Amino acid sequence: DTVSAIIAVVDREGKLIYLNRVGRELSGYTEREIAGRPGWETLAIPDDARTMCAWLRVALEGEPAHLREFLWRASSGERRSIEWTGDAVRDSRGRLLGLTLTGRDITGDRSTAQFLHLTQASANQVGSGIVWMDCRGRFLYVNDAVCRLTGYSREELLARSLPDLSLSFPAKSLPGAWRILQRKGTWNSEQMIRSKSGELAPVQVSSNYVRHGEKQYCLSFVQDFRERRRTEDALRKSEARFRHVFEHS
């Protein structure tokens, strides 16, 4: 009862005969309440019970109980995601007596992963480019807008760094640029980037210094200037035509 993991023991019929303190606290059940109950009824929600029953049956037939995740509903109704592995318990003659199950509560990990998935999905819905870089200018994350702007796939970009795309920041300039960003916290710049096709694209970049624990990052928002410049050029041409008509009328 001194370990941090959930430890449960089931007999050859899959009935629960032991649940350690961590498991009892997490589930809200007492030893008396769980003793003799089928493991799949106690350690999994009804929707997962059949799958867990089959998993236990296979293990009780002598097959390895590989890592498997099941939802567990506590007596309070709270649901937790538990990752289980099983080890056979045998007597001195090698006969199977039951299973020792080791569980790890991954509810927090699952919630974090779901939040990160939602964050990335949201980032891909915006029109502006979003880039995370480390202090060496290596791309750690790019959203869909950056892929469209550069013509590179996400996998291709994550194998590259800022000097590979930006004509404004050759590799030798990065240490100095990083020191400026650290000192100022934010940095707005106009850059010229080269796409996969070789086309040059003017962009406006708003960079932010981010420190998380011992790690340091640059979070940048990228705006494609090409459409803006096309609009500005069209306006200048329109003004020039109007001036010409006005001066010669």
Side-chain angles (χ1 to χ4, degrees), residues 167-193:
L167 303 185
S168 308
F169 287 96
K172 63 181 180 182
S173 71
L174 287 184
W178 184 256
R179 287 193 293 270
I180 293 173
L181 182 62
Q182 282 180 305
R183 186 175 70 251
K184 297 175 64 176
T186 60
W187 189 2
N188 296 321
S189 61
E190 291 188 14
Q191 300 180 31
M192 190 68 71
I193 64 171

Side-chain angles (χ1 to χ4, degrees), residues 1 4-5 7 10 16-17 47-48 72 94-95 99 114-115 117-118 139 149 152 158 160 173 176 186 192 222 230:
D1 272 356
S4 59
I7 304 296
V10 297
L16 202 58
I17 58 177
D47 289 347
D48 278 1
W72 186 4
R95 292 177 298 191
L99 296 172
Q114 290 173 344
F115 176 74
H117 178 74
L118 177 62
F139 298 127
L149 175 65
Y152 287 101
L158 295 182
R160 287 170 167 76
S173 71
T186 60
M192 190 68 71
V222 184
R230 281 193 287 265

Side-chain angles (χ1 to χ4, degrees), residues 5 29 41 52 57 69 74 84 86 103 120 128 130 220 230 239:
Y29 293 113
E41 289 184 4
M52 188 174 201
R57 290 300 181 196
E69 177 187 342
W84 293 98
Q120 291 182 357
S128 301
I130 300 176
S220 294
R230 281 193 287 265
E239 289 174 359

Side-chain angles (χ1 to χ4, degrees), residues 226-243:
R226 288 176 294 185
E227 187 59 37
R228 174 176 167 180
R229 289 194 173 180
R230 281 193 287 265
T231 302
E232 291 174 348
D233 289 342
L235 285 173
R236 281 194 293 270
K237 291 177 181 177
S238 178
E239 289 174 359
R241 286 196 298 270
F242 177 78
R243 189 180 304 109

